Amino acid sequence: MLLPIHHSRLFRHFSKPLFLNFFKTPSFFFTNPSFSVAAALKFDGDGTYGEKIETFSHPSDDTVFGLMSSLSFFGPRRFLGDNKFKDVILSLDSAQVDRIVDYLITENPGCAVEFFYLLKDKYGFRVSKPCVFGVFHVLAGMRRLRELRKLMNELVHNEGSDSAPSLCELLWMFKDWDSNGLVWDMLTFTYSRSEMVHDALFVLSNMKKLNIRASILTYNSLLYNLRHFDIMWGIYNEISDGKVHPSEQTDSIITDGLWRQFLFQEAVEFLREAERKDTRTNVVSFNILMSGFSKLGYVDISKCFFCLMFKCGLLPDAYSYNILIHGLCVAGSIEEALDFAKDMENHGVESDLVTHNIIVKGFRLLGNMSGAGEILQRMLHKGLNPDIVTYNILVCGHCQVGNVDEGLKLHEEMLSQGMRLSNVSYSLLLSSLCKSGRVAEGLRLFYRLDNVILKPDHMIYTILVHGLCKQGEVRRAIQLYQQMCMKGLSPKAFAQRAILLTLCEKVTITEARLFFDRLVNHEFVDDIILYNMMIYRYAKVGDIQEARKLYMQLVEKQISPSLVTFNSLIYGFCKAGILADARMWLGIIKVRGLIPNAITYTTLMNAFCEEGNTEAMFELLVDMEARDVLPTHVTYTVIMKGLYKQKKLELSVRLLKQMFSKGVPTDEIAYNTVIQSYCEAGILKIAILLHNQMFRHNLKPTYVTYNILIDGICKYGNLRNADELLSSLQDQDFQLSKVAYTTLIKAHCAKGDVHKAIVLFSKMMDIGWSINEVQKIHLCFSIIRFLEIILKERKCYWHWQLSAGCKVKGFPILTYRC
C-alpha cells in the first residue's frame, strides 16, 4: 500500500468529467490471471513502510477506473501540469494505487514505470513493496538494468540487514514471470555489494530451489566478500560445475583470497593450474602474487613471477612494474629499481606519477634526498606535476635527515598551490622543529594553521606538549594540554606523562602532585605509569610514606600495580635503610603473581652489600638463580663489591671471566671495582693486568680507572712508575682528573720531592684545573714540613706562618723568622 508524504486534501466533486472525460466502463478485469499485485499484498501485511493515514475521502471506483484507462492510453506525462490530476492522485489510498499500478503493469508496462517514478519522485509516495517488485520485473523485462540496480540499492538500504527472508517471500509470488530470475540475481548482487553477505547467501539458497542460476557478476561479488574465509570454496565450486563460466576476475579473486588466508603455496598452485590449462591466466592474478611476496620481503620471488608473465604471453602493466619497483625500493635496491623503471619505458609502458612517487620514497628511505630531488626534476621534465603524495614524501624525508628548513620551504610551496600536508607529515614537521630546539617556531606554525587548514589531532598536540616540556616550559605545556581537552580531543597518556615528568624533575614534587591529583580525581585517569612516576619520585626524595600511600590508593582503585611499582618501592625502602621492609616487598611481588627481574634483585643486593650484610646478598643471588632471572652487568658489579668486602679477590676475577662466557656485556665499572680491590690489597701486578685486559675486550679505561691505579701505585709501588704512567697518558692526550694530580702531588710531598710536586702543580694549573683553598694550604704545609726536616738536620730552626690575607697568584704567602 502507499503512504503519501505530502499533506492530502479532501477529494472534491467536479462539475464535469476529469482528464478528457474518464471512460465510463463499469469495471476492468486483470488480464494476467497468474499474478496480481493486490493478491501479493496478503504477504506484506498492510503493504506500507509506515502507518496508513486516512483522513480524506477517496475517489470512487469509477474515478479510479477512468484514471487507469487514461494513464494507460495517454501516459502519466500528459497530466503533469494538471492540478486536478494532482488532487486526485493525492486523494488515492494505497490499495487504489496498487490496483492502478497492477493494471498498468499488465496493460502498459512502460506507463507503469512512469507512474511509479511519478508517485515516488514527484508526489513523495512510499510505494508498497509488492508494487516495487512489480516495477522491478518490468524494468528487468525491458533490460533497463541501471535503473533496476539503483532502485534495488534503495530498497536494500531501507530494509537493512536480515531483510532477505521477507523480500524472498514476496519474490516467490513472481516466480512465473519471465524476468523473475534476473530480479533474484540482482537482489543477491545488491546484498553482496552492500556487504550483507548473510542475506545474499539466503537469497542464493532460494534461487537454487527455483533452479535459477546466479550470474558470474553476482558470484564474483560474493567471492570478493568471502575471500577471507573457507566458505569461498563452496561458492567457487558452484561456478566450477560448468553451468556458469568463470571470468578472469574470478581467478583473480580466488588468488587474492588464498593469499589473504595465508595459503601461499595454494595460491601459487592455483595460478600454475590455470597456466597448465592455458585458460584465464591474467595480469591481475600475477600482480596479486607479486604484491604479496613483495610485502613479505621476498622481492626475488616477485621478480620470478614478473618474468613468468612474459612466458605466459602476458605483458606487464604499469601496476606490475610499480609493485616490483616498490618492493626493490623498500629492500634498499634503488639502483635495480631505476633499471626496472627504464625497462618499463623500453617496453612501451609509460611511467606515471605513482612510479615516480615510489622511487622518490625509495630515496627517502635511504636518506638520499639529493637523489629524490633528481627524480623530482625528471617528473617536471616529463610534464608530471608533484601531487600531495610527492610533497608529503619530500617533507618527511627532509625532516628525517634534519633539513627542517627545506621541509618548511616545501610546505609553503604546497600552501601556495592549495594543498596541505597530512596530519602525519605535519606531526613529523613539528617534531623536527621541536627536536632542533625550535619549539616557538613550531607553535607559530601550529597556531597559523589551526582551524584554517589543519585539524590538529592528539598526536600533534602531544608533540608540542613534549617539546615545551623538554625546554622546561611546563606552564605553556599545561596550557596547550588544557586547550587539547577543551577541543574534545582525548589526551594521550604520553602528553600527561611528559608534563608530570617535567614537573617532577624541573619544578617541585608538590606541583607535580597537584597535577597528578587533578588527572586521577577529575579526569579519572587510571594510568599505572603515572602512579609509577610519582611513587619513584617520592622514593628518590626519601618520602617513603607518601610512596606507600600512593600504592594503597591504586590498589583501592583496582589498578594492577606493575613490577616497576614494586621496584620503585623497594628502591625507596633501601634508600631509607629499612631493608627488612624492602625484603618484604619482594615477597609481595611473588604473591601478586609477578616475577622479580634483575633490577629488583640488584637493588636489594646492593643495599645489603652497602650495609655489610654480604650473607643476605648471596642469599638473594641464590634465589635469583633459582627463578632463572639472568643477572646483568650491574648485578655482577654488586657481587664483586661483596666479594671484595669478604676479601675474595680471586672470585672477582673468576666472575669477570664468567660474564664473558655467558655473553653478559661487561663495562668499565665492573673492571674498576675489581681493579680497586686489588689496588687496595696492594696487589698491583694483577690490577695492571686487568687494566690491560680492558683493551682486549674493547673497553677504554676511564679517568676513574687511572685515579685508582695512580693511587694504588703511590701507596704500594714505586712513585717513579706513577710518574711514568702520568707522562704516558699526557703523551696520548688523555685528560686526567684533578684527583690524579693531587694524589701525585701529595705523594711527592710525602716522599720529600717538593720540586716535583711544584712541577705537577704547575701542570695542573696549566690544564685549567682549579684547586680550593684547603688544597692550597695542604700543599704549602707539605712543602713546609719537608723544609723543616732539611733545616733541622742543619740545626737551624725557623718559624713559618701564613700572612693573613696576602696572596700571590692565588697562593698564600709564607713568612718565616729565625
Side-chain angles (χ1 to χ4, degrees):
M1 297 182 181
L2 304 177
L3 177 63
I5 295 177
H6 301 293
H7 293 292
S8 302
R9 291 181 283 180
L10 294 176
F11 180 77
R12 293 179 292 181
H13 295 281
F14 302 102
S15 57
K16 58 181 180 178
L18 297 175
F19 316 130
L20 307 177
N21 294 322
F22 282 155
F23 297 116
K24 299 299 183 179
T25 310
S27 64
F28 285 99
F29 298 94
F30 298 110
T31 57
N32 183 356
S34 63
F35 174 77
S36 168
V37 172
L41 289 173
K42 298 176 183 177
F43 298 95
D44 191 35
D46 61 3
T48 66
Y49 288 89
E51 295 182 1
K52 181 179 178 181
I53 301 175
E54 294 184 358
T55 58
F56 48 81
S57 300
H58 301 297
S60 64
D61 288 343
D62 289 342
T63 303
V64 172
F65 293 152
L67 181 60
M68 289 190 296
S69 300
S70 298
L71 288 170
S72 176
F73 188 78
F74 295 105
R77 295 181 184 178
R78 170 68 176 76
F79 309 106
L80 282 179
D82 196 318
N83 289 329
K84 294 179 180 179
F85 175 80
K86 179 180 178 181
D87 290 339
V88 173
I89 293 296
L90 292 177
S91 65
L92 295 171
D93 63 19
S94 56
Q96 290 172 328
V97 170
D98 288 338
R99 290 168 60 193
I100 294 171
V101 173
D102 186 28
Y103 173 80
L104 293 176
I105 286 174
T106 305
E107 297 298 324
N108 192 337
C111 287
V113 174
E114 287 186 33
F115 185 61
F116 170 80
Y117 281 127
L118 181 71
L119 294 172
K120 175 178 169 293
D121 300 330
K122 183 72 175 177
Y123 300 130
F125 276 84
R126 300 184 69 182
V127 186
S128 65
K129 282 182 281 186
C131 282
V132 170
F133 275 105
V135 172
F136 285 173
H137 282 76
V138 172
L139 290 172
M142 299 169 70
R143 311 303 293 180
R144 293 162 65 173
L145 302 184
R146 182 175 296 179
E147 296 177 56
L148 173 60
R149 186 179 295 113
K150 181 180 178 182
L151 292 174
M152 191 78 79
N153 279 328
E154 291 178 6
L155 176 67
V156 168
H157 176 75
N158 291 330
E159 292 295 306
S161 184
D162 299 324
S163 58
S166 62
L167 296 187
C168 286
E169 191 174 2
L170 279 172
L171 262 180
W172 271 87
M173 302 304 300
F174 292 81
K175 62 182 179 181
D176 294 328
W177 285 55
D178 294 338
S179 55
N180 189 233
L182 183 55
V183 176
W184 278 97
D185 184 63
M186 185 65 73
L187 182 61
T188 308
F189 176 80
T190 305
Y191 271 125
S192 179
R193 286 292 297 270
S194 302
E195 297 184 358
M196 302 179 192
V197 182
H198 292 293
D199 289 276
L201 292 174
F202 183 87
V203 179
L204 187 65
S205 65
N206 277 269
M207 291 174 68
K208 293 176 187 175
K209 296 176 183 177
L210 291 169
N211 292 320
I212 299 173
R213 274 284 173 181
S215 65
I216 189 60
L217 189 66
T218 300
Y219 275 119
N220 285 343
S221 178
L222 277 169
L223 283 172
Y224 182 80
N225 283 297
L226 296 170
R227 67 192 188 282
H228 295 89
F229 311 102
D230 288 340
I231 194 174
M232 170 186 75
W233 289 110
I235 303 297
Y236 182 71
N237 290 334
E238 292 184 23
I239 302 173
S240 302
D241 62 6
K243 295 182 180 178
V244 179
H245 295 290
S247 64
E248 289 186 356
Q249 187 183 13
T250 310
D251 284 354
S252 300
I253 294 170
I254 293 294
T255 305
D256 185 43
L258 288 167
W259 189 266
R260 291 177 183 273
Q261 295 178 40
F262 304 104
L263 302 172
F264 307 136
Q265 185 64 36
E266 289 80 352
V268 175
E269 288 297 329
F270 182 82
L271 187 63
R272 285 179 177 175
E273 184 65 25
E275 181 192 349
R276 280 193 293 267
K277 292 179 180 178
D278 198 24
T279 56
R280 303 191 310 276
T281 52
N282 59 86
V283 174
V284 177
S285 297
F286 278 97
N287 287 345
I288 290 168
L289 291 178
M290 286 170 56
S291 177
F293 280 112
S294 291
K295 288 176 182 177
L296 292 175
Y298 300 115
V299 188
D300 290 336
I301 298 178
S302 295
K303 287 193 287 186
C304 293
F305 280 107
F306 183 83
C307 296
L308 189 61
M309 291 172 69
F310 290 99
K311 182 182 176 182
C312 294
L314 299 172
L315 293 177
D317 56 12
Y319 190 72
S320 311
Y321 278 101
N322 288 341
I323 290 170
L324 202 52
I325 292 170
H326 181 267
L328 290 167
C329 287
V330 171
S333 303
I334 193 70
E335 294 297 332
E336 193 173 358
L338 290 171
D339 289 339
F340 268 97
K342 291 179 182 177
D343 183 72
M344 180 178 184
E345 295 181 354
N346 292 337
H347 280 84
V349 181
E350 190 68 27
S351 57
D352 54 10
L353 185 60
V354 175
T355 312
H356 289 85
N357 283 343
I358 290 170
I359 299 174
V360 169
K361 183 179 178 181
F363 278 108
R364 192 213 83 185
L365 292 173
L366 293 175
N368 184 356
M369 294 312 297
S370 60
E374 291 177 7
I375 300 300
L376 181 62
Q377 292 301 317
R378 191 182 301 176
M379 287 172 58
L380 296 172
H381 181 71
K382 287 184 120 183
L384 297 172
N385 292 321
D387 63 356
I388 188 169
V389 176
T390 318
Y391 277 107
N392 273 297
I393 294 169
L394 291 170
V395 170
C396 291
H398 284 294
C399 289
Q400 285 172 342
V401 298
N403 192 359
V404 65
D405 289 322
E406 187 63 27
L408 289 170
K409 180 181 175 182
L410 287 167
H411 170 251
E412 292 298 327
E413 190 176 317
M414 286 184 68
L415 293 181
S416 66
Q417 297 183 32
M419 302 183 198
R420 76 174 184 89
L421 289 169
S422 65
N423 272 24
V424 174
S425 300
Y426 272 119
S427 298
L428 189 55
L429 186 59
L430 292 172
S431 178
S432 299
L433 286 169
C434 291
K435 284 179 181 177
S436 57
R438 299 159 66 176
V439 181
E441 195 172 344
L443 284 170
R444 285 196 296 272
L445 176 64
F446 168 76
Y447 286 118
R448 173 188 167 194
L449 299 172
D450 187 18
N451 297 322
V452 179
I453 299 175
L454 176 68
K455 290 185 178 178
D457 56 12
H458 58 80
M459 182 58 67
I460 289 175
Y461 274 104
T462 299
I463 288 168
L464 292 171
V465 167
H466 188 258
L468 288 168
C469 287
K470 282 186 70 176
Q471 289 196 335
E473 299 185 45
V474 67
R475 308 293 178 201
R476 293 185 68 186
I478 293 174
Q479 290 175 359
L480 201 61
Y481 171 81
Q482 291 171 341
Q483 180 182 334
M484 173 171 55
C485 296
M486 289 173 61
K487 286 197 171 184
L489 294 170
S490 56
K492 287 294 180 182
F494 189 73
Q496 298 165 346
R497 296 168 190 171
I499 293 173
L500 184 61
L501 182 63
T502 308
L503 288 170
C504 288
E505 292 181 348
K506 297 185 179 181
V507 190
T508 63
I509 196 170
T510 304
E511 293 195 50
R513 182 59 185 271
L514 289 173
F515 180 75
F516 172 81
D517 288 340
R518 190 183 72 183
L519 288 178
V520 299
N521 296 329
H522 300 291
E523 298 185 21
F524 305 103
V525 175
D526 294 334
D527 186 2
I528 185 60
I529 296 179
L530 294 177
Y531 276 95
N532 288 344
M533 290 169 66
M534 286 304 304
I535 289 172
Y536 174 76
R537 192 56 50 181
Y538 277 120
K540 191 172 184 179
V541 300
D543 193 348
I544 193 62
Q545 296 304 322
E546 199 62 38
R548 191 203 292 264
K549 287 180 183 177
L550 280 177
Y551 170 77
M552 298 306 298
Q553 180 180 321
L554 68 90
V555 170
E556 288 174 5
K557 289 190 173 185
Q558 297 183 341
I559 303 172
S560 298
S562 66
L563 186 58
V564 176
T565 315
F566 292 110
N567 285 348
S568 299
L569 289 166
I570 289 172
Y571 166 73
F573 279 102
C574 287
K575 188 173 183 180
I578 314 173
L579 300 189
D581 285 2
R583 185 70 181 268
M584 177 196 69
W585 284 102
L586 179 63
I588 295 175
I589 291 176
K590 299 172 184 176
V591 171
R592 281 275 181 178
L594 299 173
I595 300 174
N597 61 8
I599 297 174
T600 316
Y601 283 105
T602 305
T603 305
L604 281 167
M605 290 166 65
N606 186 63
F608 281 112
C609 183
E610 292 290 337
E611 195 183 55
N613 190 351
T614 53
E615 185 179 346
M617 183 194 75
F618 285 109
E619 286 178 3
L620 287 166
L621 179 61
V622 172
D623 186 34
M624 186 178 184
E625 292 175 346
R627 293 182 176 274
D628 292 328
V629 180
L630 296 176
T632 65
H633 66 283
V634 181
T635 314
Y636 280 107
T637 305
V638 171
I639 297 170
M640 289 172 191
K641 285 168 58 180
L643 291 171
Y644 164 68
K645 291 190 176 185
Q646 290 186 344
K647 307 301 180 184
K648 297 178 179 179
L649 304 185
E650 292 181 3
L651 286 177
S652 297
V653 177
R654 198 179 302 167
L655 201 60
L656 271 177
K657 293 180 180 178
Q658 186 180 342
M659 289 176 68
F660 288 110
S661 64
K662 290 185 176 181
V664 178
T666 187
D667 60 3
E668 296 84 358
I669 298 174
Y671 267 98
N672 290 345
T673 303
V674 181
I675 290 171
Q676 184 177 16
S677 63
Y678 275 96
C679 284
E680 292 185 3
I683 311 173
L684 299 178
K685 184 178 180 180
I686 296 180
I688 293 171
L689 286 174
L690 288 169
H691 161 266
N692 297 337
Q693 191 182 90
M694 292 178 71
F695 290 100
R696 290 197 294 272
H697 291 293
N698 296 320
L699 293 173
K700 292 184 178 180
T702 63
Y703 69 89
V704 176
T705 314
Y706 290 112
N707 288 346
I708 296 168
L709 282 172
I710 290 173
D711 185 66
I713 294 171
C714 289
K715 285 182 180 178
Y716 301 104
N718 191 334
L719 195 54
R720 184 183 300 172
N721 293 334
D723 289 333
E724 289 175 356
L725 177 60
L726 176 65
S727 177
S728 174
L729 292 171
Q730 287 175 342
D731 292 341
Q732 298 174 32
D733 293 329
F734 187 90
Q735 188 68 34
L736 280 170
S737 69
K738 182 172 61 177
V739 175
Y741 282 97
T742 53
T743 301
L744 279 168
I745 291 171
K746 290 178 184 178
H748 280 289
C749 287
K751 295 286 185 180
D753 193 350
V754 178
H755 177 73
K756 186 65 176 177
I758 293 173
V759 171
L760 286 170
F761 174 77
S762 299
K763 285 184 179 180
M764 186 173 66
M765 299 298 287
D766 291 339
I767 292 172
W769 293 116
S770 61
I771 59 175
N772 57 37
E773 296 298 324
V774 175
Q775 290 172 324
K776 292 176 182 178
I777 294 171
H778 177 78
L779 180 59
C780 289
F781 277 111
S782 297
I783 298 172
I784 290 171
R785 281 196 297 273
F786 169 70
L787 291 174
E788 284 180 342
I789 293 171
I790 300 298
L791 293 172
K792 189 174 182 181
E793 290 177 354
R794 297 180 181 181
K795 298 182 180 180
C796 183
Y797 298 93
W798 302 83
H799 296 281
W800 300 80
Q801 63 182 7
L802 290 170
S803 299
C806 298
K807 295 182 180 180
V808 177
K809 293 184 179 181
F811 233 85
I813 297 175
L814 292 169
T815 60
Y816 62 90
R817 60 186 177 84
C818 181

